Amino acid sequence: MKLAEALILRKDLQTRLNELRERLILNALVQEDEEPAEKPKELLIELDKVIKDLEDLMIRINLTNAAVMVKGTSLTALLAKRECEMQRLSILRRFLNEANNTVLRSSRMEVKIYSTVSVAELRKQTDKLSEKLRNLDMVIQEANWTTDLQE
């Protein structure tokens, strides 16, 4: 199995966990003399199996990510870099949206609002950061589709 396939399977297992949580909640209580739509004991057994499968898969994914080297850097390090750069980009975009939100005055008596930064200059920086992030993501995706998952 390729690493990318394992990541898809991990997402599916996480979705199943969310669904099981909701199904358990829906079947936690019933009115007197009523039966639940699904048996909670069976759902709990399924929950244990899905969690075990997810844990095993996550261990294999993490071991693979730590072992695989891409251009002299571990895949784990590239993933951490991508996550941090995504956070940086998200914060900068939110900041720029706020900095660009100057208020129009309807009279001379109103307070003038100015941006604290050069929005145009910072937008150029975020565009470059976005491009770097896209390129990094392509490198990670290529590694995911060409790397076999460790046993």
Side-chain angles (χ1 to χ4, degrees), residues 71-141:
K71 297 180 182 179
T73 306
S74 73
L75 193 50
T76 299
L78 292 176
L79 292 167
K81 180 175 181 59
R82 179 180 67 180
E83 180 64 30
C84 290
E85 292 301 320
M86 287 170 55
Q87 290 292 329
R88 178 193 319 270
L89 188 57
S90 174
I91 290 167
L92 287 174
R93 284 180 174 157
R94 177 71 174 100
F95 172 68
L96 282 170
N97 286 341
E98 200 59 38
N100 199 38
N101 194 14
T102 56
V103 178
L104 296 176
R105 296 184 317 149
S106 57
S107 73
R108 290 181 181 221
M109 300 303 287
E110 291 186 58
V111 176
K112 290 184 181 181
I113 304 293
Y114 295 99
S115 178
T116 58
V117 294
S118 169
V119 173
E121 184 179 313
L122 206 46
R123 287 235 190 257
K124 287 178 186 175
Q125 289 178 16
T126 58
D127 289 345
K128 287 179 185 175
L129 181 58
S130 294
E131 183 180 2
K132 278 179 57 178
L133 191 55
R134 280 191 305 277
N135 291 334
L136 176 59
D137 194 52
M138 284 189 288
V139 168
I140 291 169
Q141 293 302 324

Side-chain angles (χ1 to χ4, degrees), residues 17-30 36 38 40 43-44:
L17 278 180
N18 289 333
E19 290 170 353
L20 281 167
R21 178 181 53 237
E22 294 306 312
R23 289 166 58 194
L24 278 162
I25 290 168
L26 289 172
N27 290 284
L29 300 171
V30 292
E38 296 182 86
L43 292 173
L44 290 168

Side-chain angles (χ1 to χ4, degrees), residues 10 14 53-63:
R10 180 184 67 184
Q14 290 168 332
D53 290 348
L54 180 60
E55 179 183 356
D56 293 344
L57 186 62
M58 289 174 70
I59 289 168
R60 292 176 63 200
I61 289 169
N62 289 340
L63 290 172

